[in-house]
Amino acid sequence: MTQHRRRASAQQVRRRRAVVAAAFAGTVALGVGVGVWASADGGARPGADVARTSPASRATGRAAAPSSPTPTRTYPLSQAPRTIPAVRSHTAARGPGWQPRHGERVVVSDPRLADEGRLIAGELGLSYAGQKNDAKAGDLRLALGGGGDQESYSMTVKGGRVDISGPGDAGVFYGTRTLKQEVHGSGTAPEGVVRDAPAKPVRGFMLDIARKPYSASWIEDRVRELGDLKFNELGLHFSDDQAFRIESSSHPEIVSQDHLTKAQVKQIVDLAASRHITVVPEIDSPGHLGAVIAAHPDLQLRNVNGVATRGAIDISKAGSAKIVDDLLNEYAGVFPGGKWHLGGDEYQALTVSDPQASFPQLAAAARRKYGSGATVSDLAAGWLNDRAATVRAHHRTMRAWNDGFFRNTSVQPAKDLQVAYWTGKEIGARQPLEYLSAGRKVINYNDEFLYYVLGQPQTFVYPTGQRIYEQWTPRVLRGTTPVPARYDPQILGGVFAVWSDFPNAQTEAQVAAGIRMPLRATVQKLWDPGAPALSWTQFKALADRLG
């Protein structure tokens, strides 16, 4: 190589260095190249140095003073999502969050999540792709995995994707409800990780369809509302003195003209199951059976003077047990969920001063069955146990109203009966502590907070969401005073109930509007009974924004 050519090469090197230096200065001026670019998880992208150091500074361990400010592009830490009920935990992160875009995918790890995947895909305008192993930008991925509470879930928003996982499909479903509310409320699911689980396993809504017929479509609308709020029970009280509201093949003579067909009930049950809601049926007995008695007057309870006792069936007669057991067995096939309400409340034979004298036939039956010292209360306790045995054969978990459990009886209610505690106003009322100290599991139906009684009879007033939100917790079983915290594990949860004492007092639309905020307040306190982070005004504004 000649000297001339070597000099030309050196000149070319110097020119290239000059070009690189100029380009580097230009990128600094534009704020590109040496600053920290935030990745989706809030950290610096690989290869993006926070500051450049000279060989001398590397040798001494001291950073050289920068010649110009270091440009930065980043996101603020995300805020916890605003949902009802509020999530229990959110780990903030830096990033743009996630927004659903048309055509992006919902992917599942397991075919058991297909229903959850299709539902949220339709709600957010995404495409349901089923099981896929690849990952694409914008994906919403649903997965089963891990152990623990089957209603728990985690949701990670990172890298332009959302991952929702949980040990059970119910938890994954609740994760999709959180995501749906995030998107509807603010348009974006915030970056970070949600870890969430309910405090109480029973989060219910009960509807008296016996005294007021509600349309199937109205009930289905409530199911969708309950599902979005993470309720997991719908109780149907469909038999009472006024009417019997579901088609029956074993005893069609007792069914009221305005009723739900079994096909309609199946549609409600199936819709509820798709939202992880168990429908809990209640055929109340031995009281509240007026509709059955109207078709079978020979089963009416009468006192020593022959006066009929309204709504009460004569439990000394074999025919009474047969017809109720027929119905329990029939409807076990209509309501396949694992829970059942046996009723047991307000049996009028026990509201008189001397039941043995007033109803000698009941006293005689008690003595024949349980011995010479047995009472009418023993016979009523035995009736409830016998009905429990009928339902237990169908592998159901059972509950009964607290005033169906009697004190000072030789016959004790079955050990597996849960207490649906609603009142302390009945004759011989017992404090919640009597049930709890005996080891009973209790479900909170506190009538001072959770009873929406149409027409507001007696001392009832329509409950407000604010009062529930600010004053009630699952430990407030009776009145306004909570039971000691040591009993909290025995309190399974709570149920907000609509009773139709005066059916024409409100229309369906008025009932839906009237229970809207009470339902939201109730589930907030069942999901997390601690003091809410939001004030009532803020909570109500959030509910209005979420729709």
Side-chain angles (χ1 to χ4, degrees):
M1 182 182 292
T2 66
Q3 185 65 27
H4 172 75
R5 293 179 65 186
R6 282 197 294 271
R7 284 198 303 271
S9 297
Q11 290 171 351
Q12 291 171 354
V13 169
R14 286 192 294 272
R15 291 192 193 99
R16 282 195 294 270
R17 287 175 177 170
V19 170
V20 170
F24 180 74
T27 56
V28 170
L30 290 171
V32 179
V34 297
V36 178
W37 279 78
S39 66
D41 62 357
R45 287 180 177 174
D49 298 328
V50 173
R52 297 183 183 272
T53 59
S54 68
S57 64
R58 285 196 296 269
T60 61
R62 296 191 300 271
S67 58
S68 61
T70 302
T72 301
R73 180 184 174 188
T74 187
Y75 294 95
L77 278 173
S78 59
Q79 299 294 311
R82 290 291 180 92
T83 60
I84 297 176
V87 301
R88 305 290 295 276
S89 168
H90 177 256
T91 302
R94 300 184 189 278
W98 180 88
Q99 294 179 336
R101 302 186 190 283
H102 182 72
E104 289 177 345
R105 308 183 306 174
V106 176
V107 178
V108 299
S109 70
D110 190 294
R112 287 174 290 177
L113 295 175
D115 290 344
E116 290 76 16
R118 289 192 177 96
L119 178 61
I120 191 65
E123 290 169 331
L124 298 185
L126 305 173
S127 64
Y128 177 70
Q131 291 179 268
K132 299 290 181 182
N133 294 322
D134 62 321
K136 291 185 177 181
D139 276 356
L140 166 56
R141 307 183 70 85
L142 309 181
L144 291 173
D149 186 345
Q150 295 292 295
E151 293 189 307
S152 66
Y153 70 93
S154 65
M155 180 171 68
T156 302
V157 179
K158 179 180 179 181
R161 292 193 298 272
V162 180
D163 289 274
I164 299 174
S165 64
D169 51 355
V172 174
F173 171 73
Y174 297 140
T176 67
R177 299 307 88 192
T178 295
L179 181 65
K180 178 183 176 182
Q181 287 195 29
E182 288 176 333
V183 170
H184 284 191
S186 65
T188 301
E191 204 84 5
V193 180
V194 167
R195 291 182 176 85
D196 205 11
K200 294 298 181 183
V202 173
R203 305 178 302 281
F205 169 62
M206 197 228 74
L207 183 65
D208 170 13
I209 65 172
R211 284 174 276 194
K212 180 180 177 68
Y214 290 84
S215 65
S217 61
W218 189 92
I219 298 172
E220 289 170 6
D221 285 344
R222 301 290 72 71
V223 168
R224 296 183 185 94
E225 180 181 13
L226 295 171
D228 282 353
L229 293 171
K230 304 186 179 103
F231 280 90
N232 63 2
E233 280 191 11
L234 168 64
L236 291 181
H237 175 94
F238 63 92
S239 168
D240 213 306
D241 295 342
Q242 292 79 0
F244 192 98
R245 296 287 185 190
I246 295 178
E247 173 188 356
S248 172
S249 55
S250 65
H251 289 281
E253 73 280 1
I254 70 174
V255 179
S256 302
Q257 183 174 1
D258 195 344
H259 65 272
L260 297 173
T261 67
K262 287 186 178 179
Q264 289 174 313
V265 172
K266 183 179 187 305
Q267 189 166 325
I268 291 168
V269 168
D270 290 347
L271 178 65
S274 75
R275 265 68 174 177
H276 297 275
I277 295 170
T278 299
V279 180
V280 183
E282 182 194 0
I283 300 176
D284 203 349
S285 77
H288 295 282
L289 283 171
V292 172
I293 294 167
H296 295 271
D298 57 308
L299 300 181
Q300 174 86 58
L301 177 65
R302 296 180 180 276
N303 70 9
V304 67
N305 299 316
V307 177
T309 303
R310 184 174 183 269
I313 202 166
D314 189 333
I315 59 176
S316 69
K317 295 184 176 181
S320 297
K322 182 182 184 305
I323 193 169
V324 174
D325 283 347
D326 285 347
L327 295 170
L328 294 175
N329 286 319
E330 176 182 1
Y331 289 101
V334 178
F335 297 98
K339 300 178 180 181
W340 199 279
H341 201 316
L342 290 168
D345 66 315
E346 297 181 325
Y347 189 47
Q348 296 301 307
L350 296 171
T351 63
V352 298
S353 59
D354 189 347
Q356 284 66 235
S358 295
F359 301 97
Q361 77 276 30
L362 298 184
R367 291 191 294 270
R368 285 195 303 271
K369 189 169 185 178
Y370 299 113
S372 59
T375 64
V376 175
S377 293
D378 288 312
L379 191 67
W383 168 275
L384 194 63
N385 285 345
D386 291 344
R387 307 293 75 74
T390 300
V391 174
R392 192 182 295 112
H394 297 283
H395 310 290
R396 303 297 198 266
T397 299
M398 298 162 292
R399 69 189 64 162
W401 298 114
N402 61 284
D403 49 332
F405 294 75
F406 309 109
R407 62 155 63 99
N408 302 322
T409 57
S410 60
V411 179
Q412 294 298 306
K415 294 293 186 183
D416 59 346
L417 276 178
Q418 298 171 354
V419 179
Y421 198 99
W422 71 281
T423 185
K425 303 182 181 74
E426 77 278 10
I427 294 174
R430 300 165 68 189
Q431 293 287 342
L433 288 180
E434 288 196 42
Y435 303 93
L436 293 167
S437 61
R440 293 277 179 188
K441 293 180 178 178
V442 176
I443 300 167
N444 192 325
Y445 288 76
N446 187 329
D447 65 344
E448 291 194 29
F449 287 92
L450 306 179
Y451 263 33
Y452 192 95
V453 185
L454 298 191
Q456 304 183 105
Q458 301 174 46
T459 60
F460 288 108
V461 295
Y462 292 129
T464 66
Q466 183 173 0
R467 188 162 183 256
I468 296 168
Y469 190 77
E470 295 178 343
Q471 300 180 32
W472 180 82
T473 73
R475 285 171 46 209
V476 179
L477 287 161
R478 174 177 175 173
T480 59
T481 304
V483 299
R486 66 180 179 274
Y487 293 115
D488 187 67
Q490 290 173 240
I491 302 171
L492 300 179
V495 177
F496 185 89
V498 171
W499 294 101
S500 307
D501 289 41
F502 290 91
N504 297 323
Q506 289 191 343
T507 65
E508 286 185 347
Q510 288 172 322
V511 174
I515 66 177
R516 180 176 175 273
M517 288 309 300
L519 283 176
R520 283 151 179 77
T522 299
V523 80
Q524 172 60 46
K525 303 304 277 294
L526 291 169
W527 196 266
D528 184 352
L534 301 182
S535 69
W536 170 251
T537 300
Q538 292 170 324
F539 184 81
K540 188 174 184 302
L542 174 62
D544 292 341
R545 186 165 74 249
L546 295 176

Short mmCIF file of all heavy atoms in Angstrom, two decimals, residues 360-403:
data_model
loop_
_atom_site.label_atom_id
_atom_site.label_comp_id
_atom_site.label_asym_id
_atom_site.label_seq_id
_atom_site.Cartn_x
_atom_site.Cartn_y
_atom_site.Cartn_z
N PRO A 360 -103.57 -29.18 71.02
CA PRO A 360 -103.36 -30.48 71.68
C PRO A 360 -102.92 -31.58 70.72
O PRO A 360 -102.21 -32.50 71.12
CB PRO A 360 -104.72 -30.78 72.31
CG PRO A 360 -105.70 -29.93 71.56
CD PRO A 360 -104.96 -28.72 71.17
N GLN A 361 -103.34 -31.52 69.45
CA GLN A 361 -102.92 -32.55 68.50
C GLN A 361 -101.42 -32.51 68.25
O GLN A 361 -100.78 -33.55 68.05
CB GLN A 361 -103.72 -32.44 67.19
CG GLN A 361 -103.30 -31.33 66.23
CD GLN A 361 -103.92 -29.98 66.55
OE1 GLN A 361 -104.22 -29.68 67.72
NE2 GLN A 361 -104.14 -29.15 65.54
N LEU A 362 -100.84 -31.29 68.26
CA LEU A 362 -99.40 -31.17 68.09
C LEU A 362 -98.67 -31.68 69.33
O LEU A 362 -97.64 -32.35 69.22
CB LEU A 362 -99.02 -29.71 67.83
CG LEU A 362 -99.59 -29.05 66.57
CD1 LEU A 362 -99.03 -27.63 66.43
CD2 LEU A 362 -99.29 -29.87 65.33
N ALA A 363 -99.19 -31.37 70.51
CA ALA A 363 -98.58 -31.84 71.75
C ALA A 363 -98.61 -33.37 71.82
O ALA A 363 -97.63 -34.00 72.24
CB ALA A 363 -99.31 -31.24 72.95
N ALA A 364 -99.74 -33.95 71.40
CA ALA A 364 -99.85 -35.42 71.43
C ALA A 364 -98.86 -36.05 70.45
O ALA A 364 -98.22 -37.07 70.76
CB ALA A 364 -101.28 -35.83 71.10
N ALA A 365 -98.72 -35.48 69.28
CA ALA A 365 -97.77 -36.00 68.30
C ALA A 365 -96.34 -35.89 68.81
O ALA A 365 -95.51 -36.79 68.58
CB ALA A 365 -97.93 -35.24 66.98
N ALA A 366 -96.03 -34.81 69.50
CA ALA A 366 -94.69 -34.64 70.06
C ALA A 366 -94.39 -35.72 71.09
O ALA A 366 -93.29 -36.31 71.10
CB ALA A 366 -94.56 -33.25 70.69
N ARG A 367 -95.35 -36.02 71.93
CA ARG A 367 -95.13 -37.05 72.95
C ARG A 367 -94.99 -38.43 72.33
O ARG A 367 -94.15 -39.24 72.77
CB ARG A 367 -96.28 -37.03 73.97
CG ARG A 367 -96.29 -35.78 74.85
CD ARG A 367 -97.27 -35.95 76.00
NE ARG A 367 -98.67 -36.04 75.54
CZ ARG A 367 -99.48 -35.00 75.37
NH1 ARG A 367 -99.03 -33.76 75.58
NH2 ARG A 367 -100.72 -35.20 74.97
N ARG A 368 -95.79 -38.70 71.30
CA ARG A 368 -95.68 -40.00 70.63
C ARG A 368 -94.30 -40.17 69.99
O ARG A 368 -93.71 -41.26 70.03
CB ARG A 368 -96.76 -40.13 69.55
CG ARG A 368 -98.15 -40.39 70.06
CD ARG A 368 -99.07 -40.87 68.95
NE ARG A 368 -99.15 -39.94 67.82
CZ ARG A 368 -100.03 -38.93 67.74
NH1 ARG A 368 -100.89 -38.72 68.73
NH2 ARG A 368 -100.04 -38.15 66.69
N LYS A 369 -93.77 -39.10 69.44
CA LYS A 369 -92.52 -39.22 68.68
C LYS A 369 -91.28 -39.07 69.55
O LYS A 369 -90.26 -39.74 69.31
CB LYS A 369 -92.52 -38.17 67.56
CG LYS A 369 -91.37 -38.33 66.57
CD LYS A 369 -91.57 -37.45 65.34
CE LYS A 369 -90.48 -37.70 64.30
NZ LYS A 369 -90.66 -36.89 63.07
N TYR A 370 -91.35 -38.23 70.57
CA TYR A 370 -90.14 -37.90 71.32
C TYR A 370 -90.21 -38.17 72.81
O TYR A 370 -89.26 -37.88 73.54
CB TYR A 370 -89.79 -36.41 71.09
CG TYR A 370 -89.52 -36.09 69.63
CD1 TYR A 370 -90.38 -35.27 68.93
CD2 TYR A 370 -88.42 -36.63 68.97
CE1 TYR A 370 -90.15 -34.97 67.59
CE2 TYR A 370 -88.19 -36.35 67.63
CZ TYR A 370 -89.06 -35.51 66.94
OH TYR A 370 -88.83 -35.23 65.62
N GLY A 371 -91.31 -38.71 73.30
CA GLY A 371 -91.38 -39.05 74.71
C GLY A 371 -92.34 -38.17 75.48
O GLY A 371 -92.82 -37.14 74.99
N SER A 372 -92.61 -38.57 76.73
CA SER A 372 -93.67 -37.96 77.51
C SER A 372 -93.44 -36.48 77.83
O SER A 372 -94.40 -35.73 78.02
CB SER A 372 -93.84 -38.73 78.83
OG SER A 372 -92.62 -38.71 79.57
N GLY A 373 -92.19 -36.05 77.87
CA GLY A 373 -91.93 -34.66 78.21
C GLY A 373 -91.80 -33.74 77.00
O GLY A 373 -91.51 -32.54 77.15
N ALA A 374 -92.01 -34.26 75.80
CA ALA A 374 -91.79 -33.48 74.59
C ALA A 374 -92.87 -32.40 74.43
O ALA A 374 -94.00 -32.55 74.91
CB ALA A 374 -91.77 -34.38 73.37
N THR A 375 -92.50 -31.33 73.74
CA THR A 375 -93.38 -30.17 73.56
C THR A 375 -93.60 -29.90 72.07
O THR A 375 -92.98 -30.54 71.21
CB THR A 375 -92.76 -28.93 74.19
OG1 THR A 375 -91.54 -28.61 73.48
CG2 THR A 375 -92.44 -29.15 75.66
N VAL A 376 -94.47 -28.92 71.81
CA VAL A 376 -94.70 -28.50 70.42
C VAL A 376 -93.41 -27.97 69.79
O VAL A 376 -93.15 -28.17 68.60
CB VAL A 376 -95.83 -27.45 70.35
CG1 VAL A 376 -95.99 -26.93 68.92
CG2 VAL A 376 -97.15 -28.05 70.84
N SER A 377 -92.58 -27.31 70.59
CA SER A 377 -91.29 -26.84 70.07
C SER A 377 -90.42 -28.01 69.63
O SER A 377 -89.71 -27.92 68.62
CB SER A 377 -90.55 -26.03 71.14
OG SER A 377 -91.22 -24.82 71.41
N ASP A 378 -90.45 -29.12 70.37
CA ASP A 378 -89.70 -30.31 69.96
C ASP A 378 -90.22 -30.84 68.63
O ASP A 378 -89.44 -31.25 67.76
CB ASP A 378 -89.83 -31.40 71.03
CG ASP A 378 -89.03 -31.09 72.28
OD1 ASP A 378 -87.85 -30.73 72.15
OD2 ASP A 378 -89.60 -31.21 73.38
N LEU A 379 -91.55 -30.84 68.48
CA LEU A 379 -92.12 -31.34 67.23
C LEU A 379 -91.70 -30.45 66.05
O LEU A 379 -91.37 -30.96 64.97
CB LEU A 379 -93.65 -31.37 67.34
CG LEU A 379 -94.37 -32.12 66.20
CD1 LEU A 379 -94.06 -33.62 66.25
CD2 LEU A 379 -95.88 -31.89 66.28
N ALA A 380 -91.68 -29.14 66.27
CA ALA A 380 -91.27 -28.22 65.20
C ALA A 380 -89.79 -28.39 64.87
O ALA A 380 -89.39 -28.34 63.69
CB ALA A 380 -91.56 -26.77 65.61
N ALA A 381 -88.96 -28.59 65.90
CA ALA A 381 -87.53 -28.83 65.65
C ALA A 381 -87.34 -30.13 64.88
O ALA A 381 -86.50 -30.22 63.98
CB ALA A 381 -86.77 -28.86 66.97
N GLY A 382 -88.12 -31.14 65.24
CA GLY A 382 -88.04 -32.41 64.53
C GLY A 382 -88.50 -32.30 63.09
O GLY A 382 -87.95 -32.95 62.18
N TRP A 383 -89.53 -31.48 62.87
CA TRP A 383 -89.99 -31.23 61.49
C TRP A 383 -88.86 -30.66 60.65
O TRP A 383 -88.60 -31.13 59.52
CB TRP A 383 -91.18 -30.26 61.51
CG TRP A 383 -91.55 -29.72 60.15
CD1 TRP A 383 -90.99 -28.64 59.52
CD2 TRP A 383 -92.53 -30.24 59.24
NE1 TRP A 383 -91.56 -28.45 58.29
CE2 TRP A 383 -92.51 -29.42 58.09
CE3 TRP A 383 -93.42 -31.30 59.31
CZ2 TRP A 383 -93.34 -29.64 57.00
CZ3 TRP A 383 -94.26 -31.52 58.22
CH2 TRP A 383 -94.22 -30.70 57.08
N LEU A 384 -88.16 -29.67 61.15
CA LEU A 384 -87.07 -29.06 60.40
C LEU A 384 -85.96 -30.08 60.14
O LEU A 384 -85.41 -30.14 59.03
CB LEU A 384 -86.52 -27.86 61.18
CG LEU A 384 -85.60 -26.92 60.40
CD1 LEU A 384 -86.33 -26.26 59.24
CD2 LEU A 384 -85.03 -25.85 61.34
N ASN A 385 -85.66 -30.91 61.13
CA ASN A 385 -84.63 -31.94 60.94
C ASN A 385 -85.04 -32.95 59.87
O ASN A 385 -84.20 -33.41 59.07
CB ASN A 385 -84.36 -32.66 62.25
CG ASN A 385 -83.54 -31.82 63.22
OD1 ASN A 385 -82.94 -30.82 62.83
ND2 ASN A 385 -83.51 -32.24 64.48
N ASP A 386 -86.32 -33.32 59.85
CA ASP A 386 -86.78 -34.28 58.85
C ASP A 386 -86.70 -33.69 57.44
O ASP A 386 -86.33 -34.39 56.48
CB ASP A 386 -88.22 -34.70 59.16
CG ASP A 386 -88.33 -35.56 60.41
OD1 ASP A 386 -87.28 -36.09 60.86
OD2 ASP A 386 -89.46 -35.69 60.95
N ARG A 387 -87.04 -32.41 57.30
CA ARG A 387 -86.93 -31.78 55.98
C ARG A 387 -85.45 -31.64 55.58
O ARG A 387 -85.10 -31.78 54.41
CB ARG A 387 -87.60 -30.40 55.99
CG ARG A 387 -89.03 -30.35 56.48
CD ARG A 387 -90.03 -31.06 55.60
NE ARG A 387 -90.04 -32.50 55.66
CZ ARG A 387 -90.54 -33.26 56.69
NH1 ARG A 387 -91.02 -32.68 57.78
NH2 ARG A 387 -90.51 -34.57 56.61
N ALA A 388 -84.61 -31.39 56.57
CA ALA A 388 -83.18 -31.33 56.29
C ALA A 388 -82.67 -32.68 55.78
O ALA A 388 -81.83 -32.74 54.88
CB ALA A 388 -82.40 -30.90 57.54
N ALA A 389 -83.17 -33.76 56.34
CA ALA A 389 -82.76 -35.08 55.89
C ALA A 389 -83.16 -35.31 54.43
O ALA A 389 -82.40 -35.92 53.64
CB ALA A 389 -83.38 -36.16 56.78
N THR A 390 -84.34 -34.82 54.05
CA THR A 390 -84.79 -34.95 52.66
C THR A 390 -83.84 -34.21 51.72
O THR A 390 -83.42 -34.75 50.69
CB THR A 390 -86.22 -34.40 52.50
OG1 THR A 390 -87.10 -35.14 53.35
CG2 THR A 390 -86.68 -34.48 51.06
N VAL A 391 -83.47 -33.00 52.07
CA VAL A 391 -82.61 -32.19 51.21
C VAL A 391 -81.16 -32.69 51.28
O VAL A 391 -80.44 -32.66 50.27
CB VAL A 391 -82.70 -30.71 51.63
CG1 VAL A 391 -81.70 -29.87 50.85
CG2 VAL A 391 -84.12 -30.20 51.39
N ARG A 392 -80.74 -33.15 52.44
CA ARG A 392 -79.37 -33.65 52.59
C ARG A 392 -79.09 -34.80 51.63
O ARG A 392 -77.96 -34.98 51.14
CB ARG A 392 -79.12 -34.08 54.03
CG ARG A 392 -77.65 -34.34 54.34
CD ARG A 392 -77.46 -34.81 55.79
NE ARG A 392 -77.82 -33.77 56.74
CZ ARG A 392 -78.88 -33.81 57.55
NH1 ARG A 392 -79.69 -34.87 57.53
NH2 ARG A 392 -79.13 -32.83 58.39
N ALA A 393 -80.11 -35.60 51.35
CA ALA A 393 -79.96 -36.71 50.41
C ALA A 393 -79.59 -36.24 49.02
O ALA A 393 -79.05 -37.02 48.21
CB ALA A 393 -81.24 -37.54 50.37
N HIS A 394 -79.85 -34.97 48.73
CA HIS A 394 -79.48 -34.38 47.45
C HIS A 394 -78.14 -33.64 47.53
O HIS A 394 -77.79 -32.89 46.60
CB HIS A 394 -80.57 -33.43 46.97
CG HIS A 394 -81.88 -34.12 46.70
ND1 HIS A 394 -82.11 -34.85 45.57
CD2 HIS A 394 -83.03 -34.19 47.44
CE1 HIS A 394 -83.34 -35.35 45.59
NE2 HIS A 394 -83.92 -34.95 46.73
N HIS A 395 -77.43 -33.84 48.64
CA HIS A 395 -76.07 -33.29 48.82
C HIS A 395 -76.06 -31.77 48.77
O HIS A 395 -75.25 -31.16 48.09
CB HIS A 395 -75.11 -33.87 47.77
CG HIS A 395 -75.18 -35.37 47.67
ND1 HIS A 395 -74.71 -36.20 48.67
CD2 HIS A 395 -75.71 -36.18 46.71
CE1 HIS A 395 -74.92 -37.46 48.32
NE2 HIS A 395 -75.52 -37.47 47.14
N ARG A 396 -76.97 -31.16 49.53
CA ARG A 396 -77.03 -29.71 49.60
C ARG A 396 -76.54 -29.23 50.97
O ARG A 396 -76.68 -29.94 51.98
CB ARG A 396 -78.47 -29.20 49.39
CG ARG A 396 -79.11 -29.61 48.08
CD ARG A 396 -78.39 -29.06 46.87
NE ARG A 396 -79.22 -29.09 45.68
CZ ARG A 396 -79.22 -30.06 44.78
NH1 ARG A 396 -78.43 -31.11 44.95
NH2 ARG A 396 -80.00 -30.00 43.71
N THR A 397 -75.99 -28.01 50.99
CA THR A 397 -75.70 -27.32 52.23
C THR A 397 -76.93 -26.49 52.59
O THR A 397 -77.43 -25.74 51.76
CB THR A 397 -74.48 -26.40 52.08
OG1 THR A 397 -73.35 -27.20 51.74
CG2 THR A 397 -74.20 -25.65 53.37
N MET A 398 -77.40 -26.62 53.84
CA MET A 398 -78.71 -26.07 54.19
C MET A 398 -78.62 -24.97 55.23
O MET A 398 -77.72 -24.95 56.08
CB MET A 398 -79.61 -27.20 54.73
CG MET A 398 -79.87 -28.30 53.71
SD MET A 398 -80.47 -29.81 54.52
CE MET A 398 -79.02 -30.33 55.44
N ARG A 399 -79.58 -24.07 55.14
CA ARG A 399 -79.72 -23.01 56.13
C ARG A 399 -81.20 -22.87 56.51
O ARG A 399 -82.09 -23.30 55.75
CB ARG A 399 -79.19 -21.69 55.59
CG ARG A 399 -80.00 -21.08 54.47
CD ARG A 399 -79.33 -19.88 53.80
NE ARG A 399 -78.10 -20.24 53.13
CZ ARG A 399 -77.50 -19.49 52.20
NH1 ARG A 399 -78.03 -18.32 51.85
NH2 ARG A 399 -76.39 -19.87 51.62
N ALA A 400 -81.45 -22.26 57.66
CA ALA A 400 -82.83 -21.98 58.09
C ALA A 400 -82.82 -20.68 58.87
O ALA A 400 -81.80 -20.27 59.43
CB ALA A 400 -83.36 -23.12 58.96
N TRP A 401 -83.99 -20.03 58.92
CA TRP A 401 -84.11 -18.77 59.64
C TRP A 401 -83.84 -18.97 61.13
O TRP A 401 -84.18 -20.01 61.69
CB TRP A 401 -85.49 -18.16 59.43
CG TRP A 401 -85.80 -17.81 58.01
CD1 TRP A 401 -86.75 -18.39 57.22
CD2 TRP A 401 -85.17 -16.81 57.21
NE1 TRP A 401 -86.75 -17.81 55.98
CE2 TRP A 401 -85.78 -16.84 55.93
CE3 TRP A 401 -84.13 -15.90 57.44
CZ2 TRP A 401 -85.40 -15.99 54.90
CZ3 TRP A 401 -83.75 -15.05 56.40
CH2 TRP A 401 -84.38 -15.09 55.16
N ASN A 402 -83.27 -17.95 61.75
CA ASN A 402 -82.87 -18.09 63.15
C ASN A 402 -84.04 -18.41 64.09
O ASN A 402 -83.87 -19.10 65.09
CB ASN A 402 -82.12 -16.85 63.66
CG ASN A 402 -82.95 -15.58 63.59
OD1 ASN A 402 -83.14 -15.03 62.52
ND2 ASN A 402 -83.42 -15.09 64.74
N ASP A 403 -85.26 -17.93 63.76
CA ASP A 403 -86.38 -18.23 64.64
C ASP A 403 -86.96 -19.61 64.39
O ASP A 403 -87.99 -19.97 64.97
CB ASP A 403 -87.46 -17.14 64.57
CG ASP A 403 -87.87 -16.78 63.15
OD1 ASP A 403 -87.05 -16.93 62.24
OD2 ASP A 403 -89.02 -16.34 62.96
#
